[in-house]
Amino acid sequence: MYPFIFRTFFSRMDPEAAHHLVIPVIRALGVWPFAPIVRALTRPDPRLQTRALGLVFDSPFGVAAGFDKNAVMSEGLYALGFGHVEVGTVTAIAQDGNPKPRLFRLIEDRALINRMGFNNAGAAAAARRLERSRRRARRAVLGANIGKSRVVNVDAATADYVRSTREVAPVADYLVVNVSSPNTPGLRGLQAVETLRPLLEAVRDAAGTTPLLVKIAPDLPDDEIEAITRLGVELRLAGLVATNTTIAREPLTTDPEVVAAMGPGGLSGAPLRQRSLAVLRIVRAAVPEEAEEFCIISAGGVETAADVRGRLAAGADLVQGYTAFIYRGPLWARQINRGLAAAL
């Protein structure tokens, strides 16, 4: 049914407009009387329960940052079967993001290109919504992804990240420092180890007992991925998220002229699958055996239960998806969870 709806309606709409159209629908699924009915249809098999970050997840499969930027859909996404929801990216200062259009579908490739630019209502607003969601007895694990405010110079990035941390860390189950989006000028330069160290130390100290992870780009050289992983272990971070979107445009089947016309931005979806898996293996190999609690969350090109199983087998503790939601529809998490349970 959903493939027909996508081809007939959503594929003809502006991608960002379509996303905003479904937000109230997903929100409605998270409230009574719909929530218990939907959850009964999508509840993960108890055997999928996963422990990571000192937390218990109903399923290892969750929603990556970018889908629920303002923490408004977590209850609905939990009802749909996701084990965790990473909200954001949120910034200390509310911002509109980049000019539109800024989200593009590559339907032949089951991919997206986005240059959203961290459009969000700000960390304080997200914190209020996270606090309300945390009061629920049954809910997904809630992560918060934080980024640099666009109006803040890179030189002042640490203070900006710390400001966001103080807002959301007390009400999030875990926190992710995003230094890898290609859509905020200068942001990816923060991934250099000499720059990243003081930033992560400051955010770690401000986060207190909230588990802290860092999210990296797939475009980094392998040796830099290893160095950041070792840094995370050394600083006693809770883990690492691999990966964000890519600035690469290979391999794609969409006409190169069409892709070029879409302009700059991060590519996500199926074309990222192989590189994301390769980065996961590099990270896992770089984590020493004595750091067995260091959590690796794998994201990028995940669409099927087989993809999730492959990431878990390659060393991921948790797996996230986003882009395939657009192409698979609202029962996507249920399909993944049922496929995982069937393979047990």
Side-chain angles (χ1 to χ4, degrees), residues 254-262:
T254 303
D255 186 324
E257 292 186 3
V258 173
V259 176
M262 293 176 180

Side-chain angles (χ1 to χ4, degrees), residues 38-61:
V38 176
R39 183 66 178 177
L41 297 173
T42 64
R43 184 180 293 111
D45 189 301
R47 294 175 297 170
L48 296 182
Q49 191 176 89
T50 301
R51 294 182 180 275
L53 299 171
L55 305 165
V56 178
F57 298 74
D58 287 346
S59 163
F61 184 60

Side-chain angles (χ1 to χ4, degrees), residues 136-174:
R136 296 183 177 273
R138 295 182 177 86
R139 62 174 178 85
V141 171
L142 298 173
N145 186 296
I146 59 172
K148 185 185 76 67
S149 302
R150 190 180 187 92
V151 297
V152 172
N153 291 330
V154 173
D155 293 344
T158 296
D160 188 64
Y161 275 97
V162 167
R163 181 178 167 188
S164 293
T165 300
R166 288 175 176 156
E167 292 283 0
V168 299
V171 291
D173 293 313
Y174 70 89

